[in-house]
Amino acid sequence: MEHILFLFTIFLSFAFSTRCNDVYTYSKKDFPEGFVFGSAVSAYQWEGAADEDERKPSIWDTIFHSRKGPTGDVACDGYHKYKEDVRLMYDMGLDAFRLSISWSRLIPSGRGPVNPKGLRFYKNLLDELKSHGIEPHVTLYHDDLPQTLEDEYGGWFDRKIIDDFTAFADVCFREFGNTVKFWSTINEPNMLAFGGSGLGIKLPTPQTNSYRGNSSTNQYIALHNMLLTHASTASLYKKKYKDKQNGSVGITCFTYWMVPFTSSKEDEMATQRAKDFFLGSVLHPLVFGDYPGSVKRIVGKRLPSFSKEESDLVKNSSDFIGVIHYTIMYIAHLTSSTDQDFVSDMNASLIPFGNSTLVKYDVLPWGLEGVLAYIKENYGNPPVYILENGQSSNHSSSLNDVGRVEYLHAYIGAVLNSVRNGSDTRGYFQWSFMDLFEFLDPNYTYGLYYVNFSDPELKRSPKTSALWYSAFLNGTTSSSHELKNSGSFSAL
């Protein structure tokens, strides 16, 4: 009966939708062999157990405790409930699962001794995934810098972090590399560096945590150090581990698709500048060994430069690009600004497209197609994994999240279109597997599974989207024709 009601609900949601008329015209079988489908979480937002088993605070802990609101101290208690959660992933049919390693759980002081309890937790979690046939995709840094390193030298503002992070990665490669074959070094470095600069997003980043020196310079210093850190880490893996472990190392990039606000020449030029700054500042060095010419020209001496050795190290340092995409932004020429920061440098305003907000998005799958085409056409068509894509809903609303189903169906279809058009996209990870601690607005969550945060047991319950994604992964919802004639509707 649950499946009958589920399918009927899905049918009705699309029948009355004006956004997605051609529904269920593809299936998982239409994707290339080896294409992976997964879901994702991050350590701080899922694990909880913030002060257990020798873990020390990260900058997430410091910031959210200072705000006197919700924190990730407990989150989903994945630290204790990981076996239950992996079983849910297995039952759903996930090919892969994206997670991150808490640096301050594994190496509590940021450098020095490894915490044996943290090491055991991650080994147990990874073994649990592999024993259920789920491929782990691991992000080494998902925004949770150990507070000790922030206090000591300002974290990403100082080149000391290159050695400290590389040493942390060395531990991860050595201890987990026989199980993990897909590593992302740093989560969305462009958003970490620029996220607090007029984009309307408040993250625990250099922009919102602390400034040391000139803020208009520090944004670029932080990004530069992230790129050098990624390159150092990738180089270590290739020299020391790749031949034995046969894995891949990449980096992620937060990607708005950007379109001119008007048809004016000024807005068109502003849109290209925004692409150069926001996308090119990460992707250009990885492919060409340097920043885009427009960024170098505008920022001038405030932009750090790569030495010849550094340029060679950064160039071709990513085996793949991890794309993070949710929505589209209009771009308008910025007529005047008194500030000297990222937004004023690119001389462009970012305006939400349609009715999208920072936590709720219109269904605009052509934006993801635009991003993937842009990467293909401008950066040599590298291997791509969509490592985050999803829709939020009010956490207090019902489990019947048909809006999320509509979003996921449209965007997975966009990925298929992109693959058919030549993009070397190899996987899609929905964000997020379950409702997590969300820092933008805790009232809006992205999960396929509802988590009752008022319940001491933090009970997980499948939403309509979980049932839909599971049906898709298991090949039981391949076309509108089959859905309408499956007998599920005639039984009602």
Side-chain angles (χ1 to χ4, degrees):
M1 177 60 70
E2 181 181 50
H3 267 301
I4 293 173
L5 292 175
F6 156 64
L7 291 173
F8 183 63
T9 300
I10 294 296
F11 173 74
L12 289 179
S13 71
F14 283 118
F16 291 101
S17 170
T18 60
R19 294 174 180 159
C20 194
N21 296 320
D22 187 19
V23 297
Y24 291 110
T25 56
Y26 66 85
S27 74
K28 186 181 179 184
K29 295 177 183 177
D30 291 313
F31 286 82
E33 184 178 355
F35 192 97
V36 298
F37 285 94
S39 190
V41 301
S42 77
Y44 183 78
Q45 294 173 276
W46 173 69
E47 287 179 7
D51 59 355
E52 291 186 40
D53 291 343
E54 313 304 324
R55 179 189 180 276
K56 288 187 178 181
S58 73
I59 58 175
W60 287 91
D61 299 276
T62 303
I63 288 173
F64 291 116
H65 277 272
S66 70
R67 294 178 182 177
K68 299 180 181 179
T71 72
D73 287 359
V74 176
C76 303
D77 198 25
Y79 189 74
H80 298 109
K81 298 174 75 69
Y82 71 91
K83 288 187 177 182
E84 173 187 337
D85 291 345
V86 172
R87 181 67 197 190
L88 294 177
M89 299 172 205
Y90 173 78
D91 290 342
M92 178 176 283
L94 292 186
D95 301 322
F97 180 63
R98 181 191 179 212
L99 65 143
S100 66
I101 304 291
S102 169
W103 188 348
S104 57
R105 189 182 298 283
L106 187 63
I107 306 176
S109 296
R111 69 167 76 89
V114 174
N115 175 16
K117 295 178 180 178
L119 180 65
R120 183 173 65 247
F121 166 69
Y122 289 114
K123 284 192 171 183
N124 289 343
L125 170 58
L126 294 168
D127 287 345
E128 193 75 12
L129 288 166
K130 293 293 282 190
S131 70
H132 284 80
I134 300 170
E135 188 75 37
H137 283 236
V138 173
T139 300
L140 290 169
Y141 181 80
H142 202 120
D143 315 344
D144 49 356
L145 180 74
Q147 186 62 44
T148 53
L149 301 185
E150 173 68 22
D151 292 340
E152 180 182 340
Y153 55 72
W156 293 108
F157 296 145
D158 197 297
R159 291 172 68 100
K160 292 177 183 176
I161 199 167
I162 299 173
D163 290 340
D164 285 340
F165 186 97
T166 305
F168 159 62
D170 196 5
V171 172
C172 294
F173 296 152
R174 182 182 72 237
E175 299 292 344
F176 312 133
N178 290 330
T179 302
V180 179
K181 303 305 176 187
F182 297 92
W183 299 94
S184 297
T185 53
I186 300 169
N187 188 64
E188 53 192 40
N190 53 341
M191 186 59 81
L192 288 181
F194 303 142
S197 297
L199 300 181
I201 296 176
K202 300 302 180 185
L203 300 168
T205 69
Q207 273 57 57
T208 55
N209 198 24
S210 66
Y211 268 123
R212 304 191 181 197
N214 187 329
S215 62
S216 68
T217 302
N218 274 350
Q219 297 166 332
Y220 300 108
I221 291 174
L223 177 64
H224 195 73
N225 287 338
M226 289 180 207
L227 291 170
L228 292 176
T229 297
H230 158 77
S232 172
T233 301
S235 177
L236 168 74
Y237 187 83
K238 289 173 182 177
K239 291 177 181 177
K240 191 174 179 180
Y241 296 101
K242 191 172 182 67
D243 287 345
K244 294 181 292 184
Q245 298 178 354
N246 197 32
S248 300
V249 177
I251 194 170
T252 76
C253 183
F254 190 95
T255 62
Y256 292 121
W257 185 232
M258 303 176 184
V259 296
F261 187 58
T262 72
S263 59
S264 70
K265 187 67 174 178
E266 290 81 3
D267 284 359
E268 290 180 4
M269 294 173 64
T271 300
Q272 186 56 55
R273 286 197 305 274
K275 290 175 182 177
D276 287 347
F277 270 83
F278 202 69
L279 305 179
S281 289
V282 173
L283 300 178
H284 220 78
L286 298 176
V287 176
F288 302 110
D290 203 356
Y291 296 109
S294 62
V295 176
K296 294 172 65 176
R297 183 175 63 256
I298 293 169
V299 182
K301 293 182 180 180
R302 290 182 292 118
L303 182 69
S305 60
F306 295 105
S307 68
K308 177 62 166 63
E309 181 182 3
E310 290 169 344
S311 176
D312 292 341
L313 190 67
V314 172
K315 184 177 180 180
N316 299 321
S317 60
S318 268
D319 295 321
F320 63 87
I321 301 298
V323 165
I324 296 174
H325 177 82
Y326 292 92
T327 192
I328 296 172
M329 284 284 181
Y330 280 124
I331 304 297
H333 176 69
L334 188 65
T335 55
S336 64
S337 175
T338 58
D339 298 321
Q340 191 177 43
D341 61 9
F342 163 71
V343 172
S344 58
D345 283 340
M346 71 179 182
N347 201 24
S349 297
L350 283 73
I351 304 167
F353 192 99
N355 295 313
S356 296
T357 68
L358 291 177
V359 295
K360 186 72 174 178
Y361 314 114
D362 279 357
V363 180
L364 304 165
W366 53 272
L368 180 53
E369 291 187 58
V371 166
L372 295 177
Y374 190 80
I375 292 173
K376 175 173 70 78
E377 294 163 5
N378 292 276
Y379 295 106
N381 200 21
V384 167
Y385 290 87
I386 313 298
L387 290 181
E388 285 185 33
N389 174 249
Q391 175 68 290
S392 70
S393 61
N394 194 302
H395 184 257
S396 63
S397 63
S398 73
L399 301 179
N400 185 19
D401 58 341
V402 293
R404 180 172 290 110
V405 173
E406 180 185 3
Y407 181 99
L408 294 177
H409 176 270
Y411 280 79
I412 293 173
V415 175
L416 180 57
N417 286 342
S418 297
V419 170
R420 287 172 170 170
N421 287 326
S423 171
D424 191 12
T425 303
R426 302 182 180 185
Y428 173 90
F429 290 73
Q430 175 271 347
W431 181 271
S432 56
F433 182 68
M434 63 180 56
D435 292 339
L436 306 174
F437 167 70
E438 292 293 344
F439 53 86
L440 286 178
D441 186 339
N443 295 315
Y444 282 85
T445 53
Y446 294 76
L448 300 173
Y449 276 82
Y450 173 84
V451 177
N452 185 349
F453 293 113
S454 299
D455 176 11
E457 298 300 317
L458 295 168
K459 182 181 177 181
R460 283 86 155 118
S461 303
K463 301 179 187 178
T464 299
S465 58
L467 299 174
W468 178 85
Y469 198 37
S470 181
F472 168 74
L473 294 173
N474 290 284
T476 56
T477 57
S478 58
S479 72
S480 57
H481 177 77
E482 290 177 20
L483 183 61
K484 293 174 184 177
N485 294 281
S486 64
S488 298
F489 298 103
S490 60
L492 289 168

